[in-house]
Amino acid sequence: MKQLKILLIVVLATHFCLAQTKEFRQLDSIFNVLYQQNQFNGSVLIADKGNIIYEKGFGLRNETTQKENNTNTIFELASCSKQFTAAGIVVLKRQGKLNYTDKITRFIPELKQWDKVTIYDLLRHTSGIPDYIASMTDNWDPNKIATNNDVIQFYANRKDTLRFEPKSNYRYSNSNYALLASIIERVSGKKYADFLATNIFKPLKMKNTFVYNRREKPQKIDNQAIGYVWAKKSFQKVTADDPKYGQKSVYYLDGVVGSAKVNSTVGDLYKWVNALKSDAFFTPEEFAAMTEITQTDKGKNIDYGFGLDIRKGDNKFTYGHTGNWDGYTSLIYHDQIKDRTIIVLQNFNLGAIPFNNIQQLLNQSPLTPEFKKKVSLSESVLQQFTGDYTDQEEKEDKHRITYQEGHLIYNTTSADWDMRFFPISDNEFKGIRQGGADAVIKFNRDDKGKMNMEMLQNGRKIGFGIREE
């Protein structure tokens, strides 16, 4: 009987390993396709029911050294940083140093014009405060790196009015979390980075997680991923502030923390998710406040908690966040009901995430390919689609299709969109775009033999043109 039990355990263990291997291979196939098509460059960790079933790095973390991403590579989290800023506020609340209902002018008296705004409003984006990224774009010296104090002084001098009455509406604003970081510093008497390290990262043994301003205070960091974009009209990867791309804001806003600037690894973030889901760090009451769906004064649901996007319903409870800044894209997602975690960190701004396919595989549902594979077409075939296409309803602004390095490039005569498309059939081309937007261009000849183009987004026609011959 004992031998039979041992044999049964071995058989079950072998079957479990084979099942895991199958999932790994399926996921690996999907991510490899994306990597080969310039749609993925980074690290990913996927866990189901407490077990990591897929963890891997793809592509280069540094184009100069040619070193590769791996499961321990450190990435800037962009807006995924906000949940840690919110966590810092929860800790200060626990310590009795503030209340969520406190007005922000208690801590930042310089912003007296916003005396109706509370900490709750900052956390849930119901403040009406304008976004500093947009406000400072044309009103800041691009050669000077701004800090949180600069943001406060900027708005104190301008005396901007609120976009709406606090609690009457929800509008995402990076300013909310920059101000929360400043409140953390003023209440605790510590730098934002030091407070998070002492009170969150170290207790959770997140050894590779820290706040880092790579332009304001550059350091040599082992296994760090550099954020990249494609240079305009080129397939060369450069940093976003490179003149070949020209996004100056990532330079002069590099000193602002709270809305971004936390750096981490997929493994450390998995520790964070495990702490959230199990009440290992926050009390059940604290976690409930962080993940509560509230309402505006007008009765509209706010699906945003404390630095977390929240979705709740019948047998549904998920939370997480996305980020996109300075050549980095990120996703932290957890399904509390299914005990499922998806963490994706990328150092390429056009990176895609096969979220639906991951869910289908883990749910053991039929797999509907989310991203079609690139097909091989010769340069001569691709060149036959180039030219200017005129929409009869908008004749002045023409669609312009050019060819470059195996791709068709989309612009218009009035704007440089620099969108890149690769072939997925003899006459269909898939757009390489961030954020999951499903852009496709189709080409066909009409009854008169003229080449027509049709642009689709998520299956809906958004553009049409006839080529000028």
Side-chain angles (χ1 to χ4, degrees):
M1 180 64 72
K2 185 176 180 181
Q3 289 180 333
L4 181 60
K5 286 183 177 179
I6 293 173
L7 179 61
L8 181 61
I9 290 171
V10 171
V11 170
L12 289 174
T14 302
H15 176 75
F16 178 76
C17 290
L18 287 173
Q20 292 293 86
T21 300
K22 180 182 179 182
E23 286 179 332
F24 184 96
R25 288 176 177 172
Q26 288 175 314
L27 289 166
D28 202 45
S29 175
I30 292 170
F31 278 99
N32 268 301
V33 167
L34 292 178
Y35 167 62
Q36 291 164 9
Q37 296 176 173
N38 295 311
Q39 293 178 286
F40 191 86
N41 198 93
S43 299
V44 56
L45 183 152
I46 300 170
D48 199 35
K49 297 177 176 59
N51 297 304
I52 297 175
I53 61 173
Y54 188 75
E55 189 176 13
K56 192 172 179 179
F58 292 84
L60 299 177
R61 69 174 186 261
N62 188 308
E63 292 288 320
T64 302
T65 64
Q66 293 288 291
K67 291 187 176 179
E68 298 179 340
N69 286 314
N70 55 55
T71 56
N72 294 313
T73 300
I74 298 166
F75 297 80
E76 150 81 50
L77 300 185
S79 286
C80 280
S81 303
K82 290 180 171 67
Q83 56 204 278
F84 297 106
T85 303
I89 294 294
V90 175
V91 170
L92 289 174
K93 168 71 165 57
R94 180 191 300 170
Q95 294 173 352
K97 295 181 179 179
L98 56 74
N99 290 302
Y100 300 140
T101 53
D102 287 339
K103 292 183 177 181
I104 66 170
T105 48
R106 175 186 170 189
F107 312 103
I108 312 176
E110 301 97 308
L111 300 177
K112 57 186 177 181
Q113 73 269 28
W114 296 338
D115 62 347
K116 293 182 180 180
V117 177
T118 67
I119 289 177
Y120 259 140
D121 293 320
L122 298 183
L123 289 166
R124 294 170 175 162
H125 294 297
T126 57
S127 68
I129 293 174
D131 195 308
Y132 73 87
I133 296 177
S135 298
M136 298 177 76
T137 296
D138 298 319
N139 299 282
W140 187 258
D141 180 357
N143 298 310
K144 177 185 176 183
I145 295 179
T147 65
N148 288 56
N149 285 334
D150 288 324
V151 173
I152 291 171
Q153 198 57 51
F154 175 84
Y155 282 120
N157 292 339
R158 288 183 17 141
K159 296 181 173 55
D160 286 43
T161 57
L162 297 175
R163 296 293 184 261
F164 52 83
E165 194 73 12
K167 299 178 184 60
S168 69
N169 205 344
Y170 164 88
R171 183 180 296 176
Y172 188 92
S173 172
N174 287 287
S175 297
N176 293 323
Y177 277 76
L179 295 179
L180 286 170
S182 293
I183 290 172
I184 288 173
E185 292 190 334
R186 294 187 179 191
V187 172
S188 69
K190 296 182 178 180
K191 290 288 187 182
Y192 169 80
D194 295 336
F195 183 85
L196 293 192
T198 301
N199 292 278
I200 299 173
F201 304 146
K202 289 181 181 178
L204 293 177
K205 295 181 172 55
M206 298 170 67
K207 297 180 180 179
N208 294 305
T209 305
F210 48 86
V211 178
Y212 178 49
N213 306 83
R214 67 189 181 114
R215 293 179 177 85
E216 183 191 28
K217 298 176 182 178
Q219 304 173 34
K220 179 176 173 54
I221 298 174
D222 291 337
N223 208 355
Q224 180 201 20
I226 305 299
Y228 291 108
V229 298
W230 269 326
K232 292 183 178 179
K233 301 180 181 179
S234 167
F235 284 87
Q236 177 192 4
K237 284 186 177 180
V238 298
T239 56
D241 57 343
D242 189 297
K244 295 176 183 177
Y245 188 78
Q247 188 179 354
K248 295 180 180 179
S249 58
V250 300
Y251 173 81
Y252 63 74
L253 296 179
D254 186 72
V256 182
V257 298
S259 55
K261 296 305 170 187
V262 173
N263 287 244
S264 191
T265 65
V266 291
D268 269 11
L269 293 175
Y270 187 50
K271 294 178 182 178
W272 164 249
V273 171
N274 281 333
L276 285 177
K277 75 177 187 180
S278 62
D279 298 325
F281 185 76
F282 299 104
T283 67
E285 293 76 20
E286 288 171 338
F287 181 67
M290 295 171 70
T291 57
E292 181 183 7
I293 291 182
T294 55
Q295 291 185 326
T296 67
D297 288 342
K298 300 175 183 178
K300 186 175 181 179
N301 279 357
I302 303 169
D303 297 329
Y304 196 95
F306 291 9
L308 295 166
D309 287 306
I310 311 296
R311 298 293 183 270
K312 288 183 177 179
D314 293 337
N315 200 34
K316 182 178 183 179
F317 178 19
T318 67
Y319 50 85
H321 213 285
T322 59
N324 177 30
W325 178 251
D326 198 7
Y328 298 95
T329 66
S330 54
L331 167 72
I332 303 173
Y333 168 91
H334 182 71
D335 187 321
Q336 192 82 345
I337 305 299
K338 295 180 179 179
D339 190 13
R340 178 175 299 167
T341 303
I342 302 171
I343 301 170
V344 180
L345 304 178
Q346 299 194 63
N347 60 321
F348 178 50
N349 74 315
L350 297 182
I353 299 173
F355 185 81
N356 293 334
N357 279 172
I358 293 170
Q359 297 282 30
Q360 289 171 343
L361 284 172
L362 298 185
N363 292 335
Q364 297 183 350
S365 302
L367 187 62
T368 305
E370 194 171 355
F371 295 92
K372 293 185 178 180
K373 290 184 179 181
K374 180 180 180 180
V375 300
S376 179
L377 297 180
S378 67
E379 179 177 344
S380 61
V381 171
L382 292 169
Q383 287 278 14
Q384 71 175 325
F385 300 113
T386 61
D388 286 351
Y389 291 75
T390 303
D391 187 331
Q392 297 303 308
E393 296 181 1
E394 297 181 28
K395 293 184 179 181
E396 294 182 1
D397 191 15
K398 300 173 183 178
H399 306 281
R400 176 160 291 168
I401 306 294
T402 57
Y403 168 82
Q404 188 175 3
E405 296 185 32
H407 294 71
L408 294 182
I409 313 299
Y410 174 85
N411 292 287
T412 64
T413 51
S414 65
D416 290 331
W417 293 97
D418 200 30
M419 290 170 55
R420 297 102 190 281
F421 289 77
F422 61 85
I424 55 176
S425 75
D426 289 343
N427 68 328
E428 291 181 280
F429 295 78
K430 171 74 176 178
I432 301 176
R433 298 182 67 182
Q434 192 272 340
D438 181 23
V440 172
I441 294 180
K442 290 184 178 180
F443 296 92
N444 287 293
R445 290 193 180 277
D446 60 23
D447 295 340
K448 298 178 181 179
K450 290 187 176 182
M451 185 70 76
N452 295 347
M453 66 150 284
E454 188 177 60
M455 180 174 282
L456 308 173
Q457 184 162 307
N458 298 322
R460 183 174 64 88
K461 186 168 76 171
I462 60 172
F464 177 80
I466 302 174
R467 189 171 63 185
E468 299 176 357
E469 300 295 345

